[in-house]
Amino acid sequence: MKSFVKHLGASIAVVLFLMMAWATSVAPTQLNITIEITDANQFSIANSDEFDYSNVNLTLNNDYLASGLEIAAGDTLMIDISEFSDADGNRFTTDKKPLSLNITCDLPNDEFGDYTQTWQ
């Protein structure tokens, strides 16, 4: 009987833990962003939300990263495409075409933001 109660208690604990983990897993917040590519080979990224984006990571064409950025509420970040680099340190160059830009960031209240723009 003690063994049964012990297993039952352990099973209940596991179920409660899984329920709490599932309840606290939060889907990313869709960011309210406008992205434009300028004639000067820059991205113009406008934060139209009422809160700041911190620890912003920009991933260009799934391979090139610019990270550790901040975009305050209502502000626009201008970033040159040459600021993006791949895992080997190679810079994105103007002879390549931007096909996608994924933006992830930290938000207030321990939330996480995400946005992806694609071009043809």
Side-chain angles (χ1 to χ4, degrees):
M1 183 67 169
K2 281 185 179 182
S3 176
F4 172 76
V5 171
K6 193 176 191 181
H7 289 306
L8 180 63
S11 297
I12 291 172
V14 167
V15 168
L16 288 174
F17 173 78
L18 292 174
M19 288 174 59
M20 287 175 39
W22 178 77
T24 58
S25 65
V26 178
T29 299
Q30 181 68 26
L31 302 174
N32 187 7
I33 289 180
T34 303
I35 301 173
E36 296 177 4
I37 303 174
T38 71
D39 292 338
N41 293 314
Q42 292 183 323
F43 287 107
S44 169
I45 304 169
N47 174 353
S48 298
D49 283 310
E50 295 181 3
F51 44 84
D52 297 344
Y53 305 157
S54 61
N55 192 29
V56 177
N57 294 305
L58 308 174
T59 305
L60 179 58
N61 292 5
N62 297 321
D63 291 320
Y64 295 86
L65 181 68
S67 62
L69 306 167
E70 309 287 324
I71 310 174
D75 279 356
T76 299
L77 172 70
M78 300 296 291
I79 185 166
D80 194 272
I81 64 169
S82 66
E83 293 296 315
F84 292 82
S85 59
D86 66 13
D88 295 326
N90 301 310
R91 297 285 180 179
F92 193 86
T93 58
T94 57
D95 63 325
K96 297 177 183 152
K97 182 178 179 182
L99 299 174
S100 67
L101 183 65
N102 176 255
I103 301 171
T104 60
C105 65
D106 295 332
L107 302 174
N109 301 320
D110 292 325
E111 292 184 28
F112 177 76
D114 184 56
Y115 182 87
T116 299
Q117 174 77 45
T118 58
W119 299 276
Q120 294 184 352

